[in-house]
Amino acid sequence: MALTGVQIYKFLPKTNCKECDFPTCLAFAMKLAAGGVELAACPYVSDEGKAALAAASKPPIRLVTIGAGEKKIEVGNETVLFRHEKTFVHPTGLVVRIKDTASADDVAKTVAEVSGYSVDRVGMTFGLDGFAIQNDSGDAAAFAKCVETVSSKSDLPLILMATDPAAMSAALGKVGDAKPLIYAATKDNIDQMVELAKKCGCALAVRSSDGLNELAELTEKAIAAGVEDLIIDSGVRDFAGTLTTLTQIRRLALAKRFEPLGYPVITFPGEGASSLDEEAVLAAQHIAKYGSIVVIDNFTPALALALITMRLNIYTDPQKPIQMKPGLYQIGEPKAESPLCVTTNFSLTYFSIAGELEGAGWASWLLVCDTERLSVLTAWSAGKFDAEKIAKTVKGENAAEKVSHRNVIIPGGVAVLRGELEEELPDWKIMVGPREAMAVGGYLKENWKN
Amino acid sequence: MPDVEIPVEKWTGTIKEVKLGGGGRKEVVVGGETTLPFLTFEGSIPNPPKIAIEVHDKEPSTWPALLLNAWGDAVKDPGTWAKKAAELGADIICLKLLSAHPEGGNTGAAEAKAAVDKVLSAVDLPLVVIGPGVAEKDNEVLTASSEAARGQRVALGNCEEKNYRTVAAVCISDGHVAIAKTPLDINLCKQLNIMLSDIGVPLDSILMDPDTGALGYGIEYGYSINERLRLAALGGDNMTALPIINHAGSEVWRQKEARASEGVPEAWGDQEERSVIWESVTASSVINAGCDIVVMTHPKAVERVKATINKLMGK
């Protein structure tokens, strides 16, 4: 838990020397508590004070990196239990499991499908984050070969899953400096796994077979041995158990500052589910409730799309709603004579109107103006959705080349812009649509004559 | 050796129990929770979330073929449809009087009564009746529905900020439950509960519909509003301590991800798999955030979410 200004003040020299550029030590402490300045700005703080303040400012859930390079996965650093309290910060890493018992062809196929998987949502591109390769064969050589195959075909981060330290060691030898996650240290092999993690500078996953006490015991052991980049696995797999356990881990880390469990959590929804759609539901639960790495067994495009979307939604900062990239969007397969509607780039506004047009079966052109994520009326009253902005977007997106008519429909909420817009767009007829997206189907039926 | 002390919240609030059915009809109770969804280590969940299956008073005109095929000829008659929904495991039937919409047939009280009668005589499950969402027509058809279902305690909706008096009044006089619908805003939600309570609707006769979007279409709003309502309620705020109803199915089936069979990117995969996952994930997410009655549409998604609720309840 962060310290208050007054608590920090106790560790400062209280000399008001002003060398930190603040008039008093208390003023500096207040600014420090608010995160506006670094402790290093005070030249006189004692070592004891530094240690105490460093411990207090340590994030309650450690930030851990898996992989190296541009595509590395960063998870942790979460500060809230509920997304509305602030926001969730590091989106869940979605990785696909491959077993070393699969044929070389199947492995190659999965690697190609998963690493090539990409979807566009709200004007951005998203994909999957990595592979977990499991030593199911029990054979160290087969495992190493499988790891080598995957790593040669993809630059996505890897999780190496084996309990035999010899197999892990052999596989680590095949991946160079790729910094995979070592999964997993258990009570039977922790000493050797810790050594491997230290040797190659990789993050280490720790798995309990008997609840949170054993898990905390294992992380303390790893930390004592010098490995701090940890990912934790409670060993629990089912719906109710993971919800309860992951909630308890998050609460312990945040509310109790219980350091042994202040690490990102890895989950395996496929092991708690008996079908693909059940795995999807459990994986979605893990995205919402505290899974930092979710390992998928049944990869299909539909499942990946749903989970990527869930992650995008849950990890959206409530203070910064999802925005649509401004532009001219197609609803259905519009023709040159299809309606042209104007809206804002607040995602919910876009989704409402796009959904209604889609639902009512109106293939149309939807022109999204950059209103800085504000809805129609809010944007209008903030001066971010005016005639000039609409006219500029109509011209900038070359709407006149896409449609053969010259009718543009503006939201009913900004009917007042009509006159001004007629001046800005003299070649166009400005039509005033309904105030509510829900009424657009009826409005078009009544007013749109092809 | 570390001794992990599990933090346990001491909640002071309890969600009101709301009963539907009775009068010869099967009874279903929702609410009563003294803890966050499924966290039974610190409170109780006496009534697990329930699934209502959506039934329309006329054959759906905007449903995609995949969804229509899943129901077959049943969609031609609300009674037959309700019967099939009951067989598929519905706890509640949610009858939507869409034909009363001025643009969807503009039917009136007599047709509404006939549709309600058909469903009531076809199944013994409790009923939720939703009007077309146009104030004047809502008042007309919900009043007729209220009379048709007198003594069988159904839920009638929607009561909205601009139009709640008529529906609230018939709920009071006929002993039904009012559904308070607000647009994704916790303060408006609480305010409407207060207004309903002020005009005499007992708190054990209100369900809240705080609205939600589908996965990919604003589910994060519905999810967080459910969580905030539930946290406020467990913290002791009586005016938010009411069961939540969410229409997950109809939100999902308005969206391309569920509807489109072709002309979508390859990365979207198979339509049936995608749409069932979409509805299942949307429904189970709002349940995980506090929903008590989730209104659903596709039989396979219903089956999936029913199993999920059982598993979350440790069954």
Side-chain angles (χ1 to χ4, degrees):
Chain A
M1 220 165 301
L3 294 183
T4 65
V6 174
Q7 285 167 324
I8 293 171
Y9 179 66
K10 288 179 187 151
F11 294 104
L12 298 179
K14 308 186 189 72
T15 51
N16 298 339
C17 72
K18 303 187 179 58
E19 285 183 44
C20 59
D21 287 338
F22 285 86
T24 63
C25 290
L26 185 60
F28 176 71
M30 291 297 181
K31 195 70 182 177
L32 192 63
V37 63
E38 296 283 323
L39 180 63
C42 174
Y44 304 110
V45 61
S46 67
D47 285 346
E48 186 202 350
K50 271 184 201 159
L53 290 170
S57 61
K58 195 172 139 189
I61 297 173
R62 189 180 174 87
L63 182 70
V64 177
T65 303
I66 299 170
E70 255 178 52
K71 295 186 173 168
K72 65 179 188 259
I73 304 172
E74 286 188 320
V75 284
N77 253 2
E78 302 298 335
T79 58
V80 293
L81 268 163
F82 302 100
R83 58 181 293 282
H84 64 260
E85 294 175 311
K86 190 164 182 200
T87 181
F88 291 171
V89 286
H90 284 104
T92 312
L94 296 171
V95 308
V96 175
R97 172 152 52 186
I98 291 174
K99 294 183 173 167
D100 68 354
T101 45
S103 72
D105 284 354
D106 285 348
V107 171
K109 192 167 155 263
T110 308
V111 172
E113 276 177 4
V114 171
S115 49
Y117 186 83
S118 98
V119 281
D120 291 323
R121 288 204 79 83
V122 295
M124 291 183 283
T125 304
F126 299 94
L128 296 161
D129 305 300
F131 295 98
I133 305 151
Q134 178 168 319
N135 180 14
D136 228 20
S137 64
D139 177 31
F143 182 53
K145 186 156 186 299
C146 187
V147 168
E148 189 177 17
T149 307
V150 176
S151 113
S152 70
K153 289 178 192 299
S154 162
D155 59 352
L156 290 176
L158 303 179
I159 299 175
L160 307 185
M161 303 178 65
T163 45
D164 171 15
M168 185 62 74
S169 178
L172 283 167
K174 302 289 183 189
V175 298
D177 286 332
K179 305 284 178 205
L181 171 67
I182 297 175
Y183 179 100
T186 64
K187 66 179 189 328
D188 300 322
N189 68 10
I190 185 157
D191 295 334
Q192 296 102 307
M193 288 298 190
V194 162
E195 283 315 307
L196 287 173
K198 268 164 85 171
K199 203 172 108 193
C200 62
C202 293
L204 175 68
V206 169
R207 183 179 71 209
S208 167
S209 56
D210 188 23
L212 297 183
N213 275 322
E214 183 183 310
L215 190 58
E217 201 178 322
L218 289 171
T219 61
E220 290 201 326
K221 215 166 174 178
I223 296 160
V227 176
E228 286 193 272
D229 285 326
L230 301 174
I231 300 275
I232 54 180
D233 176 2
S234 68
V236 177
R237 295 291 180 261
D238 63 307
F239 277 83
T242 49
L243 181 67
T244 300
T245 310
L246 270 58
T247 302
Q248 290 171 344
I249 290 174
R250 177 67 67 99
R251 279 193 193 167
L252 282 160
L254 296 184
K256 299 284 172 194
R257 285 305 289 259
F258 184 68
E259 291 185 16
L261 296 181
Y263 295 93
V265 172
I266 187 167
T267 72
F268 298 87
E271 293 179 20
S274 55
S275 67
L276 178 134
D277 54 337
E278 188 168 7
E279 181 177 3
V281 171
L282 187 52
Q285 176 188 309
H286 291 166
I287 289 170
K289 293 288 181 198
Y290 318 133
S292 284
I293 301 285
V294 173
V295 179
I296 304 301
D297 283 312
N298 292 298
F299 165 78
T300 68
L303 177 132
L305 178 70
L307 296 184
I308 285 171
T309 307
M310 181 71 180
R311 173 177 67 179
L312 173 67
N313 288 167
I314 292 295
Y315 277 82
T316 293
D317 184 346
Q319 305 303 318
K320 293 182 203 143
I322 301 177
Q323 61 172 328
M324 285 300 293
K325 211 170 132 204
L328 186 57
Y329 288 82
Q330 302 189 8
I331 307 300
E333 290 173 26
K335 301 194 178 73
E337 58 269 23
S338 302
L340 171 66
C341 304
V342 172
T343 192
T344 76
N345 77 329
F346 174 43
S347 67
L348 221 51
T349 303
Y350 171 85
F351 290 148
S352 308
I353 183 69
E356 290 298 337
L357 288 167
E358 181 94 35
W362 279 92
S364 39
W365 302 92
L366 189 51
L367 188 68
V368 176
C369 300
D370 184 0
T371 58
E372 297 171 27
R373 308 187 165 100
L374 297 177
S375 62
V376 171
L377 285 174
T378 322
W380 172 72
S381 54
K384 301 194 188 302
F385 190 47
D386 53 18
E388 199 185 332
K389 170 80 58 72
I390 296 172
K392 215 174 122 192
T393 316
V394 168
K395 290 173 192 159
E397 297 297 332
N398 293 325
E401 286 170 23
K402 297 285 165 82
V403 297
S404 53
H405 58 79
R406 289 292 173 267
N407 298 301
V408 57
I409 305 171
I410 62 172
V414 290
V416 55
L417 295 179
R418 183 184 195 160
E420 218 179 309
L421 199 49
E422 278 168 348
E423 284 172 29
E424 296 271 353
L425 294 171
D427 302 337
W428 293 78
K429 182 180 164 211
I430 313 300
M431 297 171 68
V432 176
R435 289 181 68 88
E436 303 289 338
M438 219 166 74
V440 78
Y443 168 85
L444 287 172
K445 204 167 150 192
E446 197 63 27
N447 297 286
W448 191 263
K449 315 277 184 241
N450 280 327
Chain B
M1 182 181 155
D3 189 17
V4 180
E5 229 180 281
I6 302 295
V8 175
E9 296 279 353
K10 290 189 177 61
W11 302 111
T12 54
T14 302
I15 310 303
K16 260 285 174 237
E17 286 198 325
V18 173
K19 192 187 83 183
L20 294 173
R25 188 156 296 281
K26 210 179 255 177
E27 284 185 4
V28 165
V29 179
V30 290
E33 300 93 333
T34 60
T35 178
L36 289 169
F38 310 107
L39 297 185
T40 45
F41 69 94
E42 63 187 15
S44 65
I45 315 270
N47 308 297
K50 301 290 186 290
I51 296 177
I53 294 183
E54 187 173 320
V55 165
H56 300 181
D57 63 344
K58 61 165 188 174
E59 198 174 340
S61 59
T62 58
W63 276 16
L66 185 135
L67 185 55
L68 282 174
N69 292 340
W71 285 100
D73 282 342
V75 297
K76 293 181 191 305
D77 173 78
T80 322
W81 191 346
K83 211 166 189 167
K84 188 159 179 189
E87 286 162 14
L88 288 168
D91 301 305
I92 296 167
I93 300 296
C94 176
L95 174 64
K96 294 196 169 176
L97 300 173
L98 300 179
S99 73
H101 197 284
E103 280 157 24
N106 206 21
T107 59
E111 289 88 346
K113 182 185 179 307
V116 171
D117 282 341
K118 268 188 183 169
V119 174
L120 287 176
S121 57
V123 296
D124 66 351
L125 297 179
L127 196 58
V128 169
V129 185
I130 305 288
V134 178
E136 207 174 290
K137 297 303 293 189
D138 276 357
N139 293 342
E140 180 185 350
V141 298
L142 293 174
T143 304
S145 305
S146 177
E147 280 165 23
R150 195 173 288 152
Q152 309 192 53
R153 200 162 162 81
V154 301
L156 299 175
N158 290 318
C159 292
E160 300 191 53
E161 191 191 355
K162 286 179 194 150
N163 183 54
Y164 64 92
R165 289 177 180 276
T166 308
V167 180
V170 300
C171 284
I172 295 168
S173 65
D174 291 338
H176 296 311
V177 172
I179 300 174
K181 167 143 193 180
T182 43
L184 292 173
D185 184 313
I186 183 170
N187 296 317
L188 292 179
C189 177
K190 182 175 172 178
Q191 185 186 318
L192 184 54
N193 295 339
I194 294 172
M195 293 194 291
L196 286 170
S197 168
D198 280 350
I199 63 167
V201 184
L203 285 179
D204 68 359
S205 301
I206 303 175
L207 294 172
M208 310 187 283
D209 176 358
D211 207 1
T212 186
L215 175 62
Y217 296 85
I219 195 175
E220 67 272 29
Y221 293 88
Y223 182 86
S224 282
I225 290 214
N226 279 9
E227 282 199 328
R228 291 174 64 193
L229 284 169
R230 195 43 52 95
L231 286 167
L234 293 174
D237 179 355
N238 285 338
M239 283 300 161
T240 52
L242 306 172
I244 296 171
I245 179 169
N246 288 126
H247 290 269
S250 54
E251 285 299 323
V252 166
W253 287 94
R254 290 198 308 147
Q255 309 302 347
K256 205 169 173 181
E257 281 77 357
R259 302 176 65 86
S261 56
E262 50 190 38
V264 297
E266 208 173 304
W268 282 28
D270 174 72
Q271 187 200 359
E272 178 167 4
E273 186 189 313
R274 180 176 69 235
S275 58
V276 169
I277 288 178
W278 221 262
E279 187 176 350
S280 304
V281 167
T282 301
S284 57
S285 298
V286 294
I287 287 173
N288 268 326
C291 174
D292 294 280
I293 299 177
V294 63
V295 186
M296 299 191 60
T297 308
H298 195 290
K300 284 189 179 167
V302 168
E303 189 188 341
R304 170 59 44 228
V305 173
K306 211 174 169 67
T308 299
I309 294 170
N310 282 335
K311 292 193 171 192
L312 281 165
M313 289 301 295
K315 283 182 206 159

